[in-house]
Amino acid sequence: MDDDVFRALADPSRRRLLDLLNARNGQTLRELCAELDMARQSVSKHLAVLESANLVSTVWRGREKLHHLNAEPINAIADRWIHQYDRRRVQLFADLKTALEAADMNNDFVYTTYIRTTPERLWQALTDPAFTQQYWGVQHETDWQPGSEMVWHQGGVAISGPGQVVLEHTPYTRLSYAWHHITPEFAKEVGLDEETYDRTSREPLSTATFELEPVDGQVKLTVIHSGFEPGSTLRTMIKDGWPALLSDLKSLLEASVTSDR
């Protein structure tokens, strides 16, 4: 996968596409073509290379296919290789990583990672309270039927409220639910200061969606967290939270695969 990323980044046209998405995330092919002096087919081919390298994630909104930057490959390269580079190259990686993670003009958060596991095992990791407790410290109390209430348990706190429900439940393929209420008890549990609690508690519920797709012995997991208002404090908070959480999930599942061999 590292080779795919390096090859994708080596082309100036593909770097230009990443620059465009960094300036405004969530663009259509038509919008990207308008900024480039090349044929639509050429832009499509470059986007396909970036998507294959996992540098770009796509999300369908009705008939429109939106393209989003994905920082996961840069995170992985930094974690694996950064100690082998001199300070100048380390800074180049840091700058690129920052650029990829800073594309917040579109309020949706989109992040894609590949995990060596099965769809069934990953689905269990996303829905089984005993499993989510291991890497997340959270348990979801629900029957997972669309429209059913979800109660979040974190530490000694139970979080519930109007609209906090399951939105979609298609086993091994797609899961979606309303992201929870920010209650006084939750704020105290996670150490939110009074000002942050006041801002976040007044924000509307957002939506967390998980898309699973088997790919060559792995599962492509795309997390789409949407529904944030402009200037959302929660949007800023989850930008760092999701990559760390998904890294822990990936480590847990891939460690279990290794131990089973």
Side-chain angles (χ1 to χ4, degrees), residues 184-199:
E185 296 79 12
F186 172 77
K188 182 177 180 180
E189 175 71 23
V190 300
L192 293 183
D193 59 61
E194 186 173 344
E195 181 182 353
T196 302
Y197 163 67
D198 183 60
R199 291 199 305 269

Side-chain angles (χ1 to χ4, degrees), residues 167-180:
L167 300 173
E168 185 174 349
H169 182 272
T170 306
Y172 319 129
T173 302
R174 185 177 169 93
L175 177 68
S176 184
Y177 49 76
W179 194 257
H180 66 73

Side-chain angles (χ1 to χ4, degrees), residues 55-235:
L55 287 163
V56 167
S57 296
T58 58
V59 176
W60 284 94
R61 287 289 173 82
R63 296 182 178 180
E64 291 189 326
K65 185 179 183 181
L66 304 183
H67 299 81
H68 294 259
L69 283 174
N70 183 46
E72 195 275 341
I74 302 302
N75 291 338
I77 288 174
D79 291 342
R80 182 176 180 185
W81 297 108
I82 202 166
H83 67 281
Q84 298 187 27
Y85 290 81
D86 61 33
R87 182 173 299 178
R88 181 179 64 84
R89 290 175 178 171
V90 166
Q91 187 59 50
L92 288 174
F93 269 118
D95 290 346
L96 178 57
K97 180 179 177 182
T98 299
L100 286 171
E101 292 180 339
D104 291 337
M105 296 301 288
N106 181 297
N107 277 334
D108 290 357
F109 175 89
V110 180
Y111 196 90
T112 299
T113 187
Y114 288 77
I115 304 176
R116 290 193 302 275
T117 188
T118 64
E120 294 79 9
R121 186 68 167 163
L122 179 52
W123 190 263
Q124 181 185 17
L126 294 172
T127 58
D128 185 336
F131 221 132
T132 56
Q133 179 64 38
Q134 292 183 60
Y135 66 91
W136 197 342
V138 164
Q139 295 183 352
H140 299 118
E141 180 186 343
T142 181
D143 62 8
W144 292 114
Q145 297 304 305
S148 292
E149 179 186 20
M150 291 184 68
V151 180
W152 290 52
H153 294 276
Q154 183 162 350
V157 172
I159 308 158
S160 61
Q164 189 174 297
V165 298
V166 178
L167 300 173
E168 185 174 349
H169 182 272
T170 306
Y172 319 129
T173 302
R174 185 177 169 93
L175 177 68
S176 184
Y177 49 76
W179 194 257
H180 66 73
H181 289 276
I182 306 299
T183 63
E185 296 79 12
F186 172 77
K188 182 177 180 180
E189 175 71 23
V190 300
L192 293 183
D193 59 61
E194 186 173 344
E195 181 182 353
T196 302
Y197 163 67
D198 183 60
R199 291 199 305 269
T200 56
S201 64
R202 288 186 281 108
E203 293 189 21
L205 294 181
S206 53
T207 300
T209 301
F210 306 82
E211 296 182 345
L212 289 66
E213 178 185 352
V215 178
D216 297 331
Q218 302 182 90
V219 181
K220 177 184 177 182
L221 172 63
T222 300
V223 175
I224 307 159
H225 201 153
S226 59
F228 298 102
E229 296 180 327
S232 166
T233 299
L234 282 171
R235 173 63 177 80

